[in-house]
Amino acid sequence: MRIVQKYGGTSVGSIERIEAVADRVAKACNAGHQCVVVVSAMGHTTDELVRLARAIDSVPDSREMDALLSTGEQVSAALLAMALQKRGLSGRSFTGWQAGIVTEQVHGSARIEDVKTEALRSSLAAGEVPVVTGFQGISGETVTTLGRGGSDTTAVAVAAALHADLCEIYTDVDGVYTTDPRVVAGARKLERISYDEMLEMANLGAQVLHPRAVENAKLFEVSLVVRSSFSDEEGTLVVESAGYEQHRVVTGIAFEREVARIAVLGIPREQHGLAKVFGYLAERGVNVDVIVQSLVQAETVDVSFTVKEEDTARTLRVLDELRSQLSYQEIVAEQGLAKVSIVGAGMISNPGVAARMFSVLAEGEISIKMVSTSEIKVSCIVDSQELDRAVQQLHEAFLAEAPEKGVTSKEVSVTHSYL
Ligand code: ASP
Ligand code: MG
Protein backbone atom coordinates (compact mmCIF):
# COMPACT_ATOMS: atom_id res chain seq x y z
CA MET A 1 0.00 0.00 0.00
CA ARG A 2 0.96 3.60 -0.41
CA ILE A 3 0.37 5.37 2.87
CA VAL A 4 0.65 9.01 3.89
CA GLN A 5 1.25 9.32 7.64
CA LYS A 6 0.83 12.70 9.29
CA TYR A 7 2.20 13.35 12.77
CA GLY A 8 0.93 16.28 14.83
CA GLY A 9 2.83 18.55 17.21
CA THR A 10 2.66 16.37 20.33
CA SER A 11 3.61 13.29 18.32
CA VAL A 12 6.90 14.97 17.36
CA GLY A 13 7.17 17.07 20.54
CA SER A 14 10.63 15.86 21.65
CA ILE A 15 13.59 13.85 20.40
CA GLU A 16 12.19 10.75 22.13
CA ARG A 17 8.89 11.27 20.34
CA ILE A 18 10.62 11.76 16.99
CA GLU A 19 12.53 8.51 17.56
CA ALA A 20 9.25 6.75 18.37
CA VAL A 21 7.69 8.14 15.20
CA ALA A 22 10.69 6.95 13.20
CA ASP A 23 10.18 3.46 14.64
CA ARG A 24 6.57 3.51 13.56
CA VAL A 25 7.42 4.72 10.05
CA ALA A 26 10.15 2.08 9.81
CA LYS A 27 7.71 -0.62 10.83
CA ALA A 28 5.32 0.33 8.03
CA CYS A 29 8.16 0.53 5.48
CA ASN A 30 9.59 -2.81 6.58
CA ALA A 31 6.15 -4.35 6.20
CA GLY A 32 6.49 -3.49 2.52
CA HIS A 33 4.45 -0.29 2.38
CA GLN A 34 5.47 2.83 0.56
CA CYS A 35 5.35 5.72 3.02
CA VAL A 36 5.25 9.48 2.76
CA VAL A 37 5.37 11.34 6.06
CA VAL A 38 3.95 14.79 6.78
CA VAL A 39 4.91 16.52 10.02
CA SER A 40 3.75 19.41 12.18
CA ALA A 41 6.15 21.60 14.15
CA MET A 42 7.44 20.20 17.45
CA GLY A 43 5.09 20.73 20.42
CA HIS A 44 4.15 24.38 20.87
CA THR A 45 6.79 25.70 18.47
CA THR A 46 4.29 27.57 16.29
CA ASP A 47 2.75 29.35 19.31
CA GLU A 48 6.22 30.30 20.45
CA LEU A 49 7.11 31.72 17.02
CA VAL A 50 3.87 33.73 17.02
CA ARG A 51 4.81 35.09 20.43
CA LEU A 52 8.26 36.15 19.22
CA ALA A 53 6.82 37.98 16.23
CA ARG A 54 4.24 39.80 18.34
CA ALA A 55 6.94 40.89 20.74
CA ILE A 56 8.30 42.93 17.84
CA ASP A 57 5.08 44.08 16.26
CA SER A 58 1.50 43.35 17.32
CA VAL A 59 0.52 43.09 13.65
CA PRO A 60 3.61 41.66 11.96
CA ASP A 61 4.07 41.77 8.20
CA SER A 62 2.21 38.80 6.78
CA ARG A 63 4.95 37.71 4.36
CA GLU A 64 7.55 37.63 7.11
CA MET A 65 5.10 35.92 9.45
CA ASP A 66 4.76 33.03 7.00
CA ALA A 67 8.54 32.95 6.50
CA LEU A 68 8.88 32.62 10.28
CA LEU A 69 6.08 30.13 11.01
CA SER A 70 7.10 27.77 8.21
CA THR A 71 10.43 27.13 9.97
CA GLY A 72 8.79 25.08 12.74
CA GLU A 73 7.88 22.23 10.41
CA GLN A 74 11.29 22.40 8.72
CA VAL A 75 12.94 21.54 12.03
CA SER A 76 10.78 18.48 12.70
CA ALA A 77 11.02 17.24 9.09
CA ALA A 78 14.82 17.37 9.07
CA LEU A 79 15.09 15.71 12.48
CA LEU A 80 12.72 12.93 11.51
CA ALA A 81 14.64 12.34 8.25
CA MET A 82 17.81 11.93 10.34
CA ALA A 83 16.06 9.51 12.69
CA LEU A 84 14.89 7.46 9.70
CA GLN A 85 18.42 7.39 8.30
CA LYS A 86 19.68 6.09 11.63
CA ARG A 87 17.31 3.16 11.09
CA GLY A 88 18.73 2.41 7.67
CA LEU A 89 15.94 4.11 5.70
CA SER A 90 16.61 6.86 3.17
CA GLY A 91 14.64 9.56 4.93
CA ARG A 92 14.65 12.85 3.07
CA SER A 93 13.02 16.09 4.10
CA PHE A 94 11.03 18.27 1.71
CA THR A 95 9.86 21.78 2.46
CA GLY A 96 6.47 22.76 1.05
CA TRP A 97 8.02 24.20 -2.09
CA GLN A 98 10.40 21.29 -2.57
CA ALA A 99 7.39 18.98 -2.37
CA GLY A 100 5.62 21.03 -5.06
CA ILE A 101 2.82 22.34 -2.89
CA VAL A 102 1.54 25.38 -4.75
CA THR A 103 -0.92 27.70 -3.03
CA GLU A 104 -2.85 30.83 -3.80
CA GLN A 105 -1.11 34.13 -3.04
CA VAL A 106 -2.55 34.64 0.42
CA HIS A 107 -0.59 34.82 3.64
CA GLY A 108 -1.67 33.07 6.82
CA SER A 109 -4.51 31.00 5.36
CA ALA A 110 -3.57 30.07 1.79
CA ARG A 111 -5.45 27.32 -0.01
CA ILE A 112 -3.55 24.64 -1.87
CA GLU A 113 -4.03 25.00 -5.63
CA ASP A 114 -1.86 22.19 -6.88
CA VAL A 115 0.58 19.53 -5.76
CA LYS A 116 3.28 19.01 -8.38
CA THR A 117 4.22 15.46 -7.54
CA GLU A 118 7.39 14.95 -9.67
CA ALA A 119 9.82 15.41 -6.78
CA LEU A 120 7.90 13.15 -4.39
CA ARG A 121 7.35 10.53 -7.06
CA SER A 122 11.00 10.34 -7.99
CA SER A 123 11.97 10.22 -4.33
CA LEU A 124 9.61 7.26 -3.82
CA ALA A 125 10.91 5.61 -6.98
CA ALA A 126 14.43 5.89 -5.60
CA GLY A 127 13.30 4.02 -2.49
CA GLU A 128 13.40 7.07 -0.23
CA VAL A 129 10.97 8.01 2.51
CA PRO A 130 9.95 11.62 1.86
CA VAL A 131 9.24 13.68 4.98
CA VAL A 132 7.18 16.71 3.99
CA THR A 133 6.72 19.83 6.11
CA GLY A 134 3.03 20.34 6.82
CA PHE A 135 1.18 23.66 6.86
CA GLN A 136 3.08 25.40 4.06
CA GLY A 137 3.46 25.87 0.35
CA ILE A 138 4.75 28.30 -2.20
CA SER A 139 3.12 30.98 -4.29
CA GLY A 140 5.44 32.36 -6.94
CA GLU A 141 8.64 32.91 -5.02
CA THR A 142 7.01 33.38 -1.66
CA VAL A 143 6.48 30.93 1.18
CA THR A 144 2.87 30.75 2.32
CA THR A 145 1.17 28.97 5.23
CA LEU A 146 -2.21 27.29 5.27
CA GLY A 147 -3.60 28.55 8.58
CA ARG A 148 -3.28 27.07 12.06
CA GLY A 149 -3.80 23.34 12.12
CA GLY A 150 -3.03 23.21 8.40
CA SER A 151 -0.76 20.16 8.43
CA ASP A 152 -3.79 17.88 8.24
CA THR A 153 -4.69 19.60 4.98
CA THR A 154 -1.18 19.09 3.62
CA ALA A 155 -1.40 15.37 4.40
CA VAL A 156 -4.72 14.96 2.63
CA ALA A 157 -3.56 16.96 -0.39
CA VAL A 158 -0.40 14.87 -0.71
CA ALA A 159 -2.42 11.66 -0.29
CA ALA A 160 -4.85 12.76 -2.99
CA ALA A 161 -2.13 13.85 -5.41
CA LEU A 162 -0.16 10.61 -4.98
CA HIS A 163 -3.31 8.45 -5.06
CA ALA A 164 -2.35 6.97 -1.71
CA ASP A 165 -4.43 4.07 -0.42
CA LEU A 166 -4.67 5.55 3.04
CA CYS A 167 -3.95 8.77 4.91
CA GLU A 168 -3.27 8.28 8.60
CA ILE A 169 -3.53 11.25 10.94
CA TYR A 170 -1.49 10.50 14.06
CA THR A 171 -2.36 12.56 17.09
CA ASP A 172 -2.44 12.32 20.89
CA VAL A 173 -5.91 10.78 21.13
CA ASP A 174 -6.74 7.37 19.76
CA GLY A 175 -9.54 8.38 17.47
CA VAL A 176 -12.70 10.41 17.07
CA TYR A 177 -14.94 10.16 20.13
CA THR A 178 -18.68 10.53 20.55
CA THR A 179 -17.78 13.64 22.53
CA ASP A 180 -14.84 15.02 24.51
CA PRO A 181 -13.91 12.38 27.14
CA ARG A 182 -12.82 15.20 29.46
CA VAL A 183 -16.47 16.22 29.71
CA VAL A 184 -18.18 12.84 29.47
CA ALA A 185 -16.26 9.99 31.06
CA GLY A 186 -18.31 7.45 29.13
CA ALA A 187 -17.53 8.94 25.70
CA ARG A 188 -16.79 6.18 23.19
CA LYS A 189 -14.34 5.98 20.35
CA LEU A 190 -16.08 5.68 17.01
CA GLU A 191 -14.98 2.94 14.68
CA ARG A 192 -16.16 4.84 11.68
CA ILE A 193 -17.62 8.23 10.83
CA SER A 194 -18.71 9.71 7.50
CA TYR A 195 -17.00 12.70 5.91
CA ASP A 196 -20.13 14.80 6.31
CA GLU A 197 -20.49 14.01 9.99
CA MET A 198 -16.79 14.58 10.59
CA LEU A 199 -16.97 17.89 8.77
CA GLU A 200 -19.84 19.03 10.98
CA MET A 201 -18.04 17.82 14.11
CA ALA A 202 -14.83 19.62 13.09
CA ASN A 203 -16.66 22.82 12.22
CA LEU A 204 -18.68 22.69 15.43
CA GLY A 205 -15.68 22.56 17.71
CA ALA A 206 -14.19 19.05 17.68
CA GLN A 207 -10.44 19.71 17.52
CA VAL A 208 -9.26 16.37 16.27
CA LEU A 209 -9.18 17.15 12.55
CA HIS A 210 -8.98 20.38 10.60
CA PRO A 211 -12.25 21.02 8.72
CA ARG A 212 -10.46 21.82 5.46
CA ALA A 213 -8.65 18.50 5.56
CA VAL A 214 -11.97 16.69 5.89
CA GLU A 215 -13.46 18.75 3.07
CA ASN A 216 -10.60 17.77 0.78
CA ALA A 217 -10.70 14.15 1.87
CA LYS A 218 -14.34 14.01 0.84
CA LEU A 219 -13.70 15.80 -2.43
CA PHE A 220 -10.82 13.54 -3.45
CA GLU A 221 -12.14 10.39 -1.74
CA VAL A 222 -9.12 9.95 0.47
CA SER A 223 -9.61 7.30 3.16
CA LEU A 224 -8.60 8.83 6.46
CA VAL A 225 -7.75 7.20 9.73
CA VAL A 226 -7.36 9.17 12.96
CA ARG A 227 -5.23 7.33 15.49
CA SER A 228 -2.73 7.79 18.28
CA SER A 229 1.03 7.81 17.84
CA PHE A 230 1.29 6.82 21.51
CA SER A 231 -0.38 3.42 21.21
CA ASP A 232 -1.23 0.64 18.80
CA GLU A 233 -4.98 1.08 19.20
CA GLU A 234 -6.94 1.06 16.00
CA GLY A 235 -8.24 4.50 15.23
CA THR A 236 -11.37 5.91 13.64
CA LEU A 237 -11.95 5.53 9.94
CA VAL A 238 -13.34 8.59 8.16
CA VAL A 239 -14.95 7.54 4.90
CA GLU A 240 -17.84 8.25 2.58
CA SER A 241 -19.70 5.60 4.50
CA ALA A 242 -23.13 4.18 3.99
CA GLY A 243 -25.37 1.87 5.88
CA TYR A 244 -23.53 1.77 9.13
CA GLU A 245 -24.54 5.08 10.57
CA GLN A 246 -28.19 4.53 9.77
CA HIS A 247 -28.18 2.40 12.88
CA ARG A 248 -27.55 5.42 14.98
CA VAL A 249 -29.38 8.70 14.84
CA VAL A 250 -26.75 10.78 16.60
CA THR A 251 -23.07 10.03 16.00
CA GLY A 252 -21.44 12.67 18.14
CA ILE A 253 -21.82 15.76 20.27
CA ALA A 254 -19.61 18.74 19.59
CA PHE A 255 -19.38 21.95 21.52
CA GLU A 256 -17.69 25.30 21.57
CA ARG A 257 -17.14 27.50 24.58
CA GLU A 258 -16.77 31.28 24.60
CA VAL A 259 -19.56 32.37 22.35
CA ALA A 260 -21.20 35.81 22.43
CA ARG A 261 -24.60 36.87 21.18
CA ILE A 262 -25.08 40.26 19.62
CA ALA A 263 -28.56 41.62 19.01
CA VAL A 264 -29.28 44.56 16.70
CA LEU A 265 -32.69 45.78 17.73
CA GLY A 266 -35.23 47.96 15.99
CA ILE A 267 -33.97 48.06 12.42
CA PRO A 268 -36.53 49.84 10.20
CA ARG A 269 -38.02 47.16 8.02
CA GLU A 270 -37.46 48.81 4.68
CA GLN A 271 -33.72 49.07 5.30
CA HIS A 272 -32.75 45.50 4.39
CA GLY A 273 -31.06 45.07 7.76
CA LEU A 274 -29.85 41.52 7.21
CA ALA A 275 -28.01 42.31 4.01
CA LYS A 276 -26.42 45.45 5.45
CA VAL A 277 -25.41 44.04 8.82
CA PHE A 278 -23.89 40.84 7.49
CA GLY A 279 -22.43 42.40 4.35
CA TYR A 280 -20.69 44.99 6.50
CA LEU A 281 -19.41 42.43 9.02
CA ALA A 282 -18.14 40.14 6.25
CA GLU A 283 -16.24 42.95 4.54
CA ARG A 284 -14.48 43.59 7.82
CA GLY A 285 -13.63 39.95 8.32
CA VAL A 286 -15.92 39.28 11.29
CA ASN A 287 -17.01 35.64 11.32
CA VAL A 288 -20.66 35.24 12.20
CA ASP A 289 -22.22 31.96 13.23
CA VAL A 290 -25.85 31.36 14.26
CA ILE A 291 -28.27 33.99 12.92
CA VAL A 292 -31.82 34.63 14.01
CA GLN A 293 -34.18 37.29 12.66
CA SER A 294 -37.39 38.14 14.36
CA LEU A 295 -40.23 40.42 13.46
CA VAL A 296 -41.11 42.04 16.73
CA GLN A 297 -43.34 44.79 15.47
CA ALA A 298 -44.57 45.34 11.99
CA GLU A 299 -42.29 48.32 11.45
CA THR A 300 -38.98 47.10 12.77
CA VAL A 301 -36.86 43.97 12.67
CA ASP A 302 -34.52 42.51 15.29
CA VAL A 303 -31.51 40.53 14.21
CA SER A 304 -29.28 38.56 16.51
CA PHE A 305 -26.25 36.44 15.80
CA THR A 306 -23.32 34.82 17.54
CA VAL A 307 -19.59 35.46 17.24
CA LYS A 308 -16.59 34.11 19.10
CA GLU A 309 -16.43 35.82 22.47
CA GLU A 310 -12.99 37.28 21.68
CA ASP A 311 -14.51 39.06 18.65
CA THR A 312 -17.17 40.87 20.69
CA ALA A 313 -15.45 44.24 21.00
CA ARG A 314 -14.46 44.30 17.35
CA THR A 315 -17.99 43.39 16.26
CA LEU A 316 -19.49 46.15 18.38
CA ARG A 317 -17.06 48.63 16.85
CA VAL A 318 -18.01 47.60 13.34
CA LEU A 319 -21.73 47.87 14.13
CA ASP A 320 -21.17 51.28 15.60
CA GLU A 321 -19.63 52.42 12.31
CA LEU A 322 -22.72 51.14 10.54
CA ARG A 323 -25.03 53.32 12.56
CA SER A 324 -24.95 56.15 10.05
CA GLN A 325 -26.28 53.83 7.33
CA LEU A 326 -28.68 51.77 9.36
CA SER A 327 -30.80 53.52 11.91
CA TYR A 328 -31.22 50.74 14.41
CA GLN A 329 -32.42 51.49 17.92
CA GLU A 330 -30.08 49.52 20.10
CA ILE A 331 -27.35 46.92 20.29
CA VAL A 332 -27.21 44.36 23.06
CA ALA A 333 -24.26 42.02 23.62
CA GLU A 334 -24.32 38.98 25.84
CA GLN A 335 -21.18 37.03 26.70
CA GLY A 336 -20.63 33.79 28.59
CA LEU A 337 -22.49 31.58 26.14
CA ALA A 338 -21.64 28.27 24.51
CA LYS A 339 -22.83 26.15 21.63
CA VAL A 340 -23.70 22.48 21.91
CA SER A 341 -24.48 20.46 18.79
CA ILE A 342 -25.67 16.97 18.06
CA VAL A 343 -24.45 15.53 14.75
CA GLY A 344 -25.61 12.47 12.87
CA ALA A 345 -26.39 11.45 9.31
CA GLY A 346 -29.23 9.33 10.69
CA MET A 347 -31.21 12.50 11.39
CA ILE A 348 -32.12 12.75 7.73
CA SER A 349 -34.34 9.72 7.98
CA ASN A 350 -35.40 10.00 11.64
CA PRO A 351 -37.74 12.88 12.43
CA GLY A 352 -38.12 14.30 15.92
CA VAL A 353 -34.44 14.47 16.82
CA ALA A 354 -34.46 18.22 17.42
CA ALA A 355 -37.60 17.88 19.54
CA ARG A 356 -35.89 15.24 21.65
CA MET A 357 -32.82 17.42 22.09
CA PHE A 358 -34.97 20.32 23.27
CA SER A 359 -36.83 18.17 25.76
CA VAL A 360 -33.60 16.68 27.15
CA LEU A 361 -32.34 20.21 27.75
CA ALA A 362 -35.69 21.29 29.17
CA GLU A 363 -35.67 18.39 31.63
CA GLY A 364 -32.28 19.59 32.79
CA GLU A 365 -33.69 23.12 33.13
CA ILE A 366 -31.13 24.35 30.63
CA SER A 367 -32.55 27.21 28.66
CA ILE A 368 -31.94 27.45 24.95
CA LYS A 369 -31.12 30.89 23.66
CA MET A 370 -30.84 30.20 19.95
CA VAL A 371 -31.09 27.24 17.61
CA SER A 372 -29.66 26.43 14.24
CA THR A 373 -30.00 23.29 12.18
CA SER A 374 -28.74 21.62 9.04
CA GLU A 375 -29.70 18.28 7.57
CA ILE A 376 -27.39 16.41 9.90
CA LYS A 377 -26.98 18.62 12.96
CA VAL A 378 -28.87 20.65 15.55
CA SER A 379 -27.04 23.34 17.51
CA CYS A 380 -28.28 25.14 20.60
CA ILE A 381 -26.79 28.20 22.23
CA VAL A 382 -26.84 27.83 26.01
CA ASP A 383 -25.29 29.46 29.04
CA SER A 384 -21.65 28.43 29.23
CA GLN A 385 -22.04 27.46 32.88
CA GLU A 386 -24.54 24.86 31.80
CA LEU A 387 -22.55 23.53 28.88
CA ASP A 388 -20.92 20.51 30.53
CA ARG A 389 -24.23 19.40 31.98
CA ALA A 390 -25.92 19.85 28.61
CA VAL A 391 -23.28 17.71 26.89
CA GLN A 392 -23.53 15.02 29.58
CA GLN A 393 -27.31 14.82 29.46
CA LEU A 394 -27.41 14.75 25.69
CA HIS A 395 -24.76 12.03 25.63
CA GLU A 396 -26.79 10.03 28.12
CA ALA A 397 -29.94 10.44 26.06
CA PHE A 398 -28.55 9.79 22.59
CA LEU A 399 -25.30 7.88 22.97
CA ALA A 400 -25.29 5.97 26.21
CA GLU A 401 -25.47 2.59 24.53
CA ALA A 402 -23.19 1.40 21.78
CA PRO A 403 -25.15 1.20 18.54
CA GLU A 404 -25.83 -2.17 17.05
CA LYS A 405 -23.26 -2.97 14.45
CA GLY A 406 -24.97 -3.16 11.14
CA VAL A 407 -22.23 -4.25 8.81
CA THR A 408 -18.62 -3.89 7.95
CA SER A 409 -16.81 -4.09 11.25
CA LYS A 410 -14.62 -6.79 9.72
CA GLU A 411 -14.03 -4.79 6.59
CA VAL A 412 -13.06 -1.81 8.74
CA SER A 413 -10.41 -3.59 10.72
CA VAL A 414 -8.90 -4.98 7.55
CA THR A 415 -8.57 -1.45 6.24
CA HIS A 416 -6.99 0.10 9.23
CA SER A 417 -4.77 -2.47 10.78
CA TYR A 418 -2.40 -3.11 7.95
CA LEU A 419 0.68 -3.62 10.11
N1 ASP B 1 2.23 23.92 13.28
C1 ASP B 1 1.02 24.49 12.79
C2 ASP B 1 0.12 24.89 13.94
O1 ASP B 1 0.48 24.74 15.08
C3 ASP B 1 0.30 23.59 11.83
C4 ASP B 1 -0.18 22.29 12.40
O2 ASP B 1 0.32 21.85 13.42
O3 ASP B 1 -1.07 21.67 11.79
O4 ASP B 1 -0.93 25.41 13.73
MG1 MG C 1 -3.77 19.61 14.51
Side-chain angles (χ1 to χ4, degrees):
M1 278 208 283
R2 181 175 282 175
I3 304 165
V4 173
Q5 297 189 333
K6 179 262 172 179
Y7 293 91
T10 8
S11 296
V12 294
S14 64
I15 292 303
E16 295 72 52
R17 290 300 317 152
I18 289 176
E19 300 269 18
V21 164
D23 285 338
R24 196 179 283 270
V25 175
K27 198 166 152 197
C29 294
N30 294 335
H33 300 297
Q34 209 176 44
C35 297
V36 177
V37 186
V38 174
V39 287
S40 286
M42 291 173 71
H44 297 289
T45 303
T46 312
D47 291 332
E48 181 56 20
L49 293 171
V50 170
R51 197 189 62 76
L52 291 175
R54 296 220 171 115
I56 291 180
D57 187 341
S58 62
V59 191
D61 177 70
S62 57
R63 177 187 185 278
E64 299 315 326
M65 196 64 179
D66 278 356
L68 177 70
L69 296 190
S70 61
T71 62
E73 274 70 9
Q74 292 167 19
V75 171
S76 45
L79 290 172
L80 180 58
M82 293 172 195
L84 291 171
Q85 289 173 12
K86 193 163 87 178
R87 285 159 180 78
L89 295 165
S90 309
R92 179 170 180 167
S93 67
F94 287 79
T95 64
W97 70 264
Q98 288 172 328
I101 297 171
V102 178
T103 74
E104 57 182 357
Q105 177 60 58
V106 167
H107 286 295
S109 59
R111 286 180 173 268
I112 296 177
E113 284 176 341
D114 194 13
V115 182
K116 300 196 186 304
T117 54
E118 297 79 17
L120 291 179
R121 283 184 194 280
S122 49
S123 172
L124 285 170
E128 293 172 353
V129 182
V131 182
V132 181
T133 55
F135 170 65
Q136 59 197 272
I138 188 104
S139 174
E141 299 291 299
T142 312
V143 174
T144 52
T145 64
L146 313 182
R148 297 304 305 269
S151 296
D152 293 348
T153 309
T154 304
V156 171
V158 167
L162 292 174
H163 303 289
D165 300 289
L166 190 63
C167 178
E168 294 185 307
I169 307 287
Y170 282 94
T171 176
D172 49 5
V173 292
D174 54 15
V176 180
Y177 275 70
T178 49
T179 194
D180 189 336
R182 285 169 298 190
V183 175
V184 179
R188 280 177 291 106
K189 186 176 74 184
L190 295 162
E191 232 174 282
R192 187 181 177 113
I193 185 169
S194 71
Y195 292 126
D196 290 331
E197 291 171 316
M198 190 64 237
L199 192 56
E200 290 281 10
M201 292 284 280
N203 276 322
L204 293 167
Q207 305 276 328
V208 65
L209 272 179
H210 196 280
R212 251 161 69 197
V214 185
E215 226 172 83
N216 285 318
K218 178 178 160 77
L219 198 62
F220 297 103
E221 293 178 25
V222 174
S223 294
L224 278 183
V225 171
V226 179
R227 61 191 301 183
S228 169
S229 69
F230 293 78
S231 78
D232 284 327
E233 288 269 314
E234 284 193 5
T236 301
L237 194 62
V238 188
V239 281
E240 187 58 50
S241 190
Y244 180 76
E245 81 269 17
Q246 283 168 8
H247 295 262
R248 58 193 183 204
V249 176
V250 172
T251 298
I253 300 175
F255 56 85
E256 214 176 295
R257 300 179 196 274
E258 294 167 9
V259 171
R261 172 167 69 165
I262 316 278
V264 187
L265 305 176
I267 306 169
R269 208 155 99 152
E270 67 287 353
Q271 287 202 0
H272 305 292
L274 275 181
K276 275 191 192 152
V277 168
F278 296 109
Y280 207 73
L281 289 168
E283 275 166 30
R284 277 148 191 81
V286 176
N287 247 322
V288 168
D289 188 16
V290 180
I291 299 173
V292 173
Q293 173 179 243
S294 49
L295 280 173
V296 177
Q297 302 146 14
E299 298 307 307
T300 62
V301 175
D302 294 343
V303 170
S304 54
F305 56 91
T306 62
V307 292
K308 285 198 164 70
E309 204 163 63
E310 65 189 27
D311 289 339
T312 312
R314 194 157 67 97
T315 308
L316 293 177
R317 244 191 343 265
V318 170
L319 290 173
D320 202 49
E321 287 166 29
L322 188 63
R323 186 145 216 169
S324 55
Q325 298 171 44
L326 187 72
S327 41
Y328 55 80
Q329 281 157 11
E330 197 189 349
I331 299 221
V332 181
E334 183 180 8
Q335 297 194 323
L337 301 177
K339 181 167 75 169
V340 56
S341 310
I342 55 174
V343 175
M347 284 181 203
I348 298 176
S349 47
N350 289 282
V353 180
R356 182 141 169 246
M357 178 182 196
F358 302 152
S359 67
V360 169
L361 295 177
E363 277 160 31
E365 313 240 318
I366 295 166
S367 65
I368 300 169
K369 313 229 168 201
M370 293 166 102
V371 175
S372 94
T373 65
S374 79
E375 259 190 332
I376 63 164
K377 71 117 203 261
V378 185
S379 301
C380 293
I381 302 294
V382 300
D383 224 59
S384 71
Q385 283 166 358
E386 296 182 322
L387 177 67
D388 286 11
R389 211 155 50 80
V391 174
Q392 286 152 6
Q393 294 186 357
L394 290 167
H395 198 274
E396 179 64 33
F398 287 106
L399 288 157
E401 277 146 45
E404 243 173 73
K405 279 176 196 153
V407 266
T408 64
S409 82
K410 200 144 153 223
E411 169 207 323
V412 172
S413 36
V414 172
T415 334
H416 60 134
S417 60
Y418 59 83
L419 288 177

